[in-house]
């Protein structure tokens, strides 16, 4: 028996259908269905129709929405490091007192501090931490999230992180997409970057394949992490093993965007330091630009040039970068709204970066749009006008959230 439900009415259904994958989008192009409802069958969308027609349907279960709401596809966070143990409040206090992120890393704080705590944590502890963050994400309307490893930096602890991500994905409603970021920084056991990357290719990547723990490989290219030349060899090898390539690029200095363009990376992520040259390259090579306003807010630094990236024709995706160091906030909608205010983005461009464009960078073609056949991952905001959502800069959250057609309980 098919499980069929009619959900509505909604004042506006913002379907995000039929919009371009790359480049600017005007709000006038936003597909807004007024006074409509959604028919869901077995967790997927069957159709979106005027409520006048749907309310007459007999013999089908109806989930009636009693307050005026705007419906959007569930948000997709395509760049996070939310599997970790411990806090870096000390780093944050040092930074607000004027010490730079890279200086803190040089003093043994930064990523390596979280590596120590994550290695010490049991699998159960890590799972609990990740579950807590996954639930917070879901309550704020994120229905799919990428999660990176990268605080293990050896075979056993990287595998521990990826297994935790896999298990939490199976146990929680939110869908998680894992990425291996074992090339996050040089671990204390190694003194040579090349040797560490060779060790990963030999010892870790085959195990990840064997256990199907991740399909995506990421690397942090930066002065404090890996050079573009070392990254190139590592990524070529990962590519030949069949992995998709993602690069932490141009966060503090440029160089990695050209590598991303040359090597055929799916996306270059961060881009705060990108100049016109990098922007042109990314657009030309159709490398997705994943911008991370949460890191700018956490570090007190400028935003990635999202406006210029869009105007040059890039697919711009917006993610939280949720991590204990540079982006501890984790509130994707707030961050995207603030980025929009600074970078002059239309609501359509912001929502695109949080929905179908984010689905694209994760290679998920079953979500991010409300249309026939798509997963019924949907979020409803208590307003009659979609513009209210960004206007409140994250303070107007969703009141109803459906994951695969099933309403999630909010506390
Ligand atoms: O994306 N830039 C490198 N990695 C993370 C920060 C990780 C950390 O500081 O723990 C980022 O910002
Ligand atoms: Fe990151």
């Amino acid at each position: 028996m098919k499980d069929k439900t009619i959900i509505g009415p909604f004042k506006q259904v913002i379907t995000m259908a039929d919009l371009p994958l790359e480049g600017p989008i005007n709000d006038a192009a936003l597909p807004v269905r007024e006074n409509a409802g959604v028919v869901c069958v077995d967790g997927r969308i069957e159709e979106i129709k005027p409520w006048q027609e749907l309310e007459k349907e007999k013999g089908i279960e109806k989930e009636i929405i009693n307050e005026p709401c705007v419906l959007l596809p569930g948000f997709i966070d395509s760049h996070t490091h939310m599997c970790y143990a411990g806090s870096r409040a000390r780093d944050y206090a040092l930074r607000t007192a004027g010490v730079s992120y890279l200086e803190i890393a040089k003093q043994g704080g930064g990523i390596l501090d979280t590596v120590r705590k994550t290695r010490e944590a049991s699998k159960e502890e890590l799972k609990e931490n990740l579950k807590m963050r996954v639930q917070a994400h879901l309550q704020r309307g994120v229905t799919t999230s990428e999660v990176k490893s990268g605080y293990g930096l050896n075979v056993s602890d990287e595998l521990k992180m990826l297994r935790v991500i896999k298990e939490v994905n199976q146990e929680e409603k939110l869908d998680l997409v894992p990425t291996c970021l074992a090339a996050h920084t040089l671990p204390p056991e190694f003194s040579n970057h090349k040797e560490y990357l060779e060790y990963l290719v030999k010892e870790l990547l085959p195990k990840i394949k064997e256990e199907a723990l991740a399909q995506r490989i990421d690397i942090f290219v930066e002065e404090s992490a890996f050079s573009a030349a070392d990254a190139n060899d590592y990524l070529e090898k990962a590519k030949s093993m069949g992995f998709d390539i993602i690069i932490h690029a141009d966060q503090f200095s440029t160089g990695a965007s050209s590598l991303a363009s040359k090597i055929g990376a799916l996306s270059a992520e961060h881009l705060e330091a990108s100049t016109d040259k990098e922007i042109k390259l990314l657009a030309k090579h159709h490398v997705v630009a994943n911008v991370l306003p949460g890191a700018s807010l956490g570090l007190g630094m400028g935003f990635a040039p999202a406006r210029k990236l869009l105007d040059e024709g890039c697919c711009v995706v917006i993610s939280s970068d949720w991590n204990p160091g540079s982006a501890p906030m984790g509130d994707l909608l707030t961050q995207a709204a603030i980025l929009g205010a600074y970078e002059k983005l239309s609501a359509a461009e912001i929502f695109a970066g949080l929905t179908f464009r984010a689905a694209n960078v994760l290679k998920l073609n079953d979500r991010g749009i409300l249309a026939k056949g798509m997963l019924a991952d949907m979020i409803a905001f208590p307003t009659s006008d979609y513009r209210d959502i960004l206007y409140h800069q994250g303070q107007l959250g969703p009141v109803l959230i459906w994951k695969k057609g099933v309403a999630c309980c909010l506390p």
Side-chain angles (χ1 to χ4, degrees), residues 31-72:
V32 183
R33 305 277 303 264
E34 310 267 352
N35 300 314
V38 183
V39 184
C40 296
V41 177
D42 293 337
R44 290 187 185 259
I45 295 168
E46 173 77 12
E47 56 184 340
I48 297 166
K49 268 181 143 177
W51 187 252
Q52 270 185 327
E53 290 173 37
L54 287 176
E55 68 183 343
K56 290 187 209 130
E57 295 270 0
K58 300 246 172 343
I60 304 172
E61 193 191 324
K62 289 195 184 75
E63 223 177 293
I64 301 295
I65 308 301
N66 289 313
E67 61 177 317
C69 279
V70 170
L71 191 74
L72 275 168

Side-chain angles (χ1 to χ4, degrees), residues 112-247:
L112 286 180
D113 189 28
T114 302
V115 170
R116 275 187 292 275
K117 291 166 183 157
T118 304
R119 284 179 177 179
E120 275 164 24
S122 68
K123 202 169 151 214
E124 285 317 305
E125 209 175 314
L126 268 186
K127 264 180 88 169
E128 278 319 300
N129 289 350
L130 179 56
K131 282 188 175 197
M132 204 177 64
R133 294 179 195 121
V134 157
Q135 285 159 12
H137 239 11
L138 187 63
Q139 278 161 30
R140 292 192 283 236
V142 176
T143 49
T144 299
S145 185
E146 186 257 15
V147 188
K148 297 174 199 298
S149 66
Y151 295 120
L153 309 190
N154 60 35
V155 170
S156 64
D157 288 297
E158 283 294 309
L159 290 177
K160 175 174 82 175
M161 288 190 76
L162 290 168
R163 288 179 187 135
V164 162
I165 298 166
K166 185 172 185 169
E167 286 173 29
V168 172
N169 181 40
Q170 286 159 352
E171 291 166 28
E172 293 288 320
K173 280 191 170 165
L174 197 146
D175 292 322
L176 299 180
V177 177
T179 303
C180 171
L181 178 60
H184 200 180
T185 195
L186 193 69
E189 296 77 18
F190 281 79
S191 54
N192 181 293
H193 291 76
K194 253 187 170 355
E195 277 170 25
Y196 175 58
L197 294 175
E198 276 162 20
Y199 155 80
L200 294 181
V201 171
K202 239 174 103 203
E203 309 285 340
L204 179 65
L205 302 195
K207 293 207 171 68
I208 291 177
K209 277 258 130 158
E210 235 171 77
E211 273 188 61
L213 287 170
Q215 172 54 33
R216 299 157 45 91
I217 299 289
D218 193 348
I219 184 166
F220 184 23
V221 176
E222 193 53 61
E223 186 203 313
S224 62
F226 297 92
S227 70
D230 290 346
N232 181 67
D233 293 347
Y234 175 63
L235 296 178
E236 285 291 3
K237 285 178 192 143
K239 219 173 114 177
S240 68
M241 293 173 78
F243 289 105
D244 293 325
I245 304 302
I246 290 96
I247 305 182

Side-chain angles (χ1 to χ4, degrees), residues 79 81 88 101 111 151 184 220 248 251 270 321 323 325-326:
H79 180 137
H81 310 245
R88 299 241 295 279
Y101 180 75
I111 295 170
Y151 295 120
H184 200 180
F220 184 23
H248 271 70
Q251 185 179 11
H270 269 295
D321 197 21
N323 75 69
S326 62

